[in-house]
Amino acid sequence: MAKTVKLTAPLTEQDVLQLNIGDTVLVSGVIYTARDAAHKRLVDLLAAGEPLPMDLEGQIMYYVGPSPAPPGRVIGAAGPTTSYRMDSYAPILIKLGLKAMIGKGKRGVEVIEAMKAHKAVYLGATGGAGALISQRIKAAEVIAFPELGPEAVHRLEVEDFPTMVINDCQGHDLYEHGVREYRRTTAR
Amino acid sequence: MRQIEVAQVTQAVKAAAIAANYEPGADLLAALARGAETEESPSGKEIFRQLLENARIAKEERIPMCQDCGLAVVFAEMGQDVHLVGGDFDQAINAGIRQGYGEGHLRKSLCHPLTRANTGDNTPAVIHTEIVPGDRLKLTVVPKGGGSENMSRLFMLKPADGLAGIKEKVVLTVEEAGPNPCPPIIVGVGIGGNFERAALLAKKSLLRELGQANPDPEVAAIERQLLAEVNDLGIGPQGLGGRITAMAVHVLMQPCHIASLPVAVNIQCHASRHQEVVL
């Protein structure tokens, strides 16, 4: 039976071990943004033996490139981007202590295996609900790679940021379960 | 000849780019409301409710519907009795995009394909210009998200593949896309023409009012069959499982070479944005 869990980032191993696919997770605390170009930069830094702009231990990475903050707001629209484009980078970050990723869409086998091995989870946020989601972001600050514009790494303070567990630490996949229930075709 | 100042084009494109990102169309809102009513899966129903709330916030609180404010596709239908004066037409369109994305606090999502350096102002737009009878200029600004565009496909089928082959490829494209392109989606299908025309037909089909059938009954029947087959996949809103994977399938068809059967599938996320202005 799916449950609702409130978690505050950074996360502990215990925080993620209790999660099952379909659970609602309301995230509070500090999370970091990174999408395609920022991931490449992070992995390049690691390859060069240089320090990252954040300590990854227990952190949550949010795959998003927000729109600019309109006057009087901390951020613009800020919904998730499609996660598979980060699949080649994610296992490297998971090994270094990343405990959760927030995005949308399917993950590759290599990411699911890394989540199982190092106890991490993949959380889905509603794609295309950028205006709605932005209301749960209380503060935003660019902390690295400002030249990347929307792809810069932001430090976000969030409150009850709504997500759902898509992949848990046991390797289950909510997308597969959900679709099986409603599928009426034998195509493919 | 009727003269139109290109400065008017810039103003029109700028206003349309902003409106498209902040003001969901009545057809989209109606489809989302219908989905909230009819979707059987509880999580799918909840997604439709969230999307309706998202649309309300976008309009009333002035936050773009989606952070991906799109690559700006601009369709121009230029009356052959129009004479544009005061500058370069494409530059005027791009100036409108630059101003709209700047002043409208929209995300700039264009970059160099290799260095990935952002162009900084969301230009260049992808502009399709057609010459039509009359003395009007119709401009349609279509901000197109990258996530759904990435899931789009082009197939050069054999004539022997026929309608069954077309259906198989459309369903396959939606199946492989799964949760990635932000379902509930709209599926644009271009059949015929050639390599580039099929893709353009697929994109153009997305401009049609959401869910309105193709006026040709033969094509409308294909749209109905495709919608049913796509929704039998069970992908559902956000891929969480459900009856409504696609809110509509739009098809445009035209003759092709005797050797060919080109089929393009352009996936449109639920944030279907387009604004039309006639000068």
Side-chain angles (χ1 to χ4, degrees):
Chain A
M1 189 60 200
K3 56 187 180 292
T4 297
V5 182
K6 286 189 172 221
L7 291 178
T8 300
L11 306 177
T12 65
E13 184 157 310
Q14 218 35 53
D15 284 337
V16 296
L17 282 173
Q18 63 171 320
L19 299 177
N20 297 304
I21 57 169
D23 288 348
T24 294
V25 180
L26 301 173
V27 178
S28 296
V30 171
I31 64 176
Y32 293 93
T33 76
R35 47 173 292 151
D36 309 66
H39 270 80
K40 179 162 179 9
R41 295 284 187 95
L42 293 175
V43 169
D44 285 350
L45 284 176
L46 288 170
E50 301 203 20
L52 296 183
M54 78 288 277
D55 175 8
L56 284 176
E57 188 58 47
Q59 298 300 351
I60 301 178
M61 199 65 92
Y62 182 22
Y63 299 151
V64 59
S67 67
R73 295 194 181 272
V74 301
I75 201 163
T81 194
T82 323
S83 305
Y84 75 91
R85 299 194 314 271
M86 272 54 78
D87 280 1
S88 54
Y89 307 112
I92 300 167
L93 306 184
I94 292 168
K95 272 181 211 140
L96 291 174
L98 186 71
K99 278 282 162 253
M101 297 151 285
I102 303 174
K104 62 155 170 118
K106 290 175 282 194
R107 302 314 299 266
V109 177
E110 67 277 32
V111 182
I112 291 171
E113 287 304 317
M115 286 192 276
K116 277 165 73 178
H118 302 279
K119 307 301 170 214
V121 293
Y122 171 50
L123 306 172
T126 301
L132 181 67
I133 289 172
S134 75
Q135 309 212 317
R136 305 296 177 92
I137 299 171
K138 303 302 171 188
E141 178 195 0
V142 172
I143 62 150
F145 319 133
E147 66 280 10
L148 296 179
E151 297 203 70
V153 172
H154 296 65
R155 177 187 184 274
L156 303 181
E157 284 173 37
V158 297
E159 209 174 282
D160 289 337
F161 184 103
T163 69
M164 192 173 270
V165 181
I166 304 291
N167 297 114
D168 57 26
C169 314
Q170 287 81 48
H172 299 122
D173 190 320
L174 180 64
Y175 293 136
E176 284 178 13
H177 278 248
V179 169
R180 214 173 291 145
E181 203 174 323
Y182 290 92
R183 193 178 169 90
R184 283 169 163 164
T185 179
T186 52
R188 260 238 294 206
Chain B
M1 288 298 258
R2 179 170 166 255
Q3 290 203 346
I4 297 179
E5 288 279 345
V6 293
Q8 281 181 267
V9 171
T10 297
Q11 279 308 310
V13 167
K14 171 185 164 182
I18 294 173
N21 275 287
Y22 285 89
E23 291 161 29
D27 55 341
L28 174 61
L29 290 174
L32 293 176
R34 214 160 38 239
E37 280 293 309
T38 58
E39 175 56 60
E40 291 171 25
S41 106
S43 58
K45 240 182 169 39
E46 169 60 20
I47 297 296
F48 275 112
R49 280 196 291 264
Q50 287 180 17
L51 297 180
L52 283 166
E53 175 65 1
N54 186 65
R56 184 196 65 76
I57 293 169
K59 188 164 185 208
E60 291 178 11
E61 304 191 27
R62 304 302 291 172
I63 301 172
M65 294 162 73
C66 180
Q67 73 290 336
D68 185 350
C69 303
L71 173 153
V73 182
V74 179
F75 285 93
E77 282 182 26
M78 170 106 66
Q80 63 192 23
D81 298 325
V82 170
H83 180 207
L84 288 167
V85 293
D88 179 292
F89 181 55
D90 280 13
Q91 280 177 19
I93 289 175
N94 279 313
I97 294 300
R98 185 175 302 118
Q99 292 170 19
Y101 277 71
E103 294 169 35
H105 310 287
L106 303 176
R107 196 181 79 182
K108 290 82 183 167
S109 306
L110 263 72
C111 69
H112 186 284
L114 301 180
T115 67
R116 312 305 292 177
N118 200 294
T119 67
D121 59 7
N122 218 51
T123 68
V126 171
I127 303 168
H128 302 289
T129 305
E130 225 179 298
I131 307 293
V132 297
D135 64 355
R136 300 295 178 100
L137 170 60
K138 183 162 105 177
L139 296 161
T140 309
V141 178
V142 189
K144 184 66 167 70
S148 57
E149 198 74 352
N150 281 343
M151 297 296 117
S152 302
R153 298 287 180 265
L154 176 70
F155 304 95
M156 299 303 286
L157 300 183
K158 297 192 296 285
D161 295 329
L163 183 58
I166 293 169
K167 286 182 179 171
E168 186 198 317
K169 292 305 184 193
V170 174
V171 173
L172 177 76
T173 301
V174 175
E175 163 128 70
E176 286 184 345
N180 292 357
C182 287
I185 54 175
I186 301 153
V187 185
V189 182
I191 303 173
N194 60 359
F195 181 77
E196 80 273 12
R197 179 53 66 96
L200 189 58
L201 288 174
K203 177 77 86 229
K204 274 183 110 166
S205 78
L206 297 172
L207 301 181
R208 199 193 304 161
E209 189 178 317
L210 175 48
Q212 200 185 65
N214 187 301
D216 179 338
E218 182 195 3
V219 181
I222 297 172
E223 291 178 338
R224 283 194 302 276
Q225 293 158 17
L226 280 172
L227 182 62
E229 289 193 28
V230 159
N231 282 336
D232 279 349
L233 290 169
I235 294 166
Q238 293 291 311
L240 299 172
R243 295 288 170 228
I244 307 173
T245 301
M247 296 186 281
V249 177
H250 291 178
V251 178
L252 282 177
M253 189 159 82
Q254 75 169 58
C256 56
H257 193 283
I258 52 173
S260 305
L261 179 51
V263 180
V265 186
N266 197 192
I267 305 283
Q268 169 66 58
C269 62
H270 60 74
S272 168
R273 294 158 287 188
H274 41 94
Q275 276 285 327
E276 200 179 287
V277 54
V278 179
L279 296 177

